[in-house]
Amino acid sequence: MVTFQLRRTEASDLPVLLGWVPTWTDMVLWSGTTFHWPLDLDQLTQDLDTAAESGRILWPAVQSDGLPIGHASLTTNDDGTIGRFGRVLINPLKRRKGYGRPLVGRSVEAGFEETGVDLMTLGVYEHNRATRALYSELGFEETGIVF
């Protein structure tokens, strides 16, 4: 059983997160066009500051031994009724070992609890089949494809 705690992202988490995104492809799969390559601490720090100002939630998932296993985020619309879940990233040492499902499940649950949104959406690249399958298994439904 995978056990971890979600907490709010702190500046000290950013170097670890940066280390999980070694290529442009990894960056785009994780964050779309939010950042430019090469990803650096300045961009992540600015994103963390912007998140704090806008109410976006950034969560690292940390095991009891302090090892970070993943990261996720949630943005809400202006009236707080719809959340957009995303930027899920798993520690490369933990990938394909059963950490994705509990991280996504717990983060979505926390998003509903912490924000009170009525609906949660997300975006996944069409070619990212494994991630799309995971979200489907967790109850998300495909509503369309954006080109």
Side-chain angles (χ1 to χ4, degrees):
M1 177 179 208
V2 176
T3 59
F4 60 89
Q5 177 182 11
L6 291 178
R7 61 170 173 74
R8 298 299 174 110
T9 299
E10 301 169 357
S12 61
D13 297 314
L14 300 180
V16 171
L17 192 60
L18 181 61
W20 294 353
V21 187
T23 69
W24 174 84
T25 301
D26 292 320
M27 181 190 74
V28 172
L29 277 176
W30 168 57
S31 64
T33 59
T34 302
F35 302 108
H36 64 269
W37 189 255
L39 186 61
D40 57 34
L41 282 176
D42 288 340
Q43 291 179 79
L44 292 178
T45 300
Q46 183 176 12
D47 184 64
L48 181 61
D49 293 344
T50 302
E53 294 166 6
S54 69
R56 185 166 32 98
I57 302 171
L58 304 175
W59 293 290
V62 182
Q63 292 179 310
S64 60
D65 63 2
L67 180 68
I69 62 161
H71 199 272
S73 74
L74 179 69
T75 303
T76 56
N77 66 343
D78 289 339
D79 67 3
T81 59
I82 300 173
R84 180 155 175 98
F85 179 71
R87 288 205 216 163
V88 177
L89 192 59
I90 303 293
N91 178 335
L93 300 174
K94 299 294 185 180
R95 290 180 189 163
R96 304 208 182 280
K97 296 184 179 177
Y99 288 83
R101 184 178 319 281
L103 173 62
V104 171
R106 179 64 191 114
S107 299
V108 167
E109 182 181 287
F112 279 113
E113 290 171 0
E114 292 184 33
T115 66
V117 295
D118 300 318
L119 175 71
M120 196 165 305
T121 67
L122 54 84
V124 180
Y125 286 104
E126 183 179 19
H127 70 279
N128 194 349
R129 288 183 172 86
T131 300
R132 288 175 51 216
L134 171 64
Y135 288 134
S136 178
E137 290 170 17
L138 291 170
F140 282 91
E141 297 177 12
E142 269 191 34
T143 58
I145 297 174
V146 177
F147 295 95

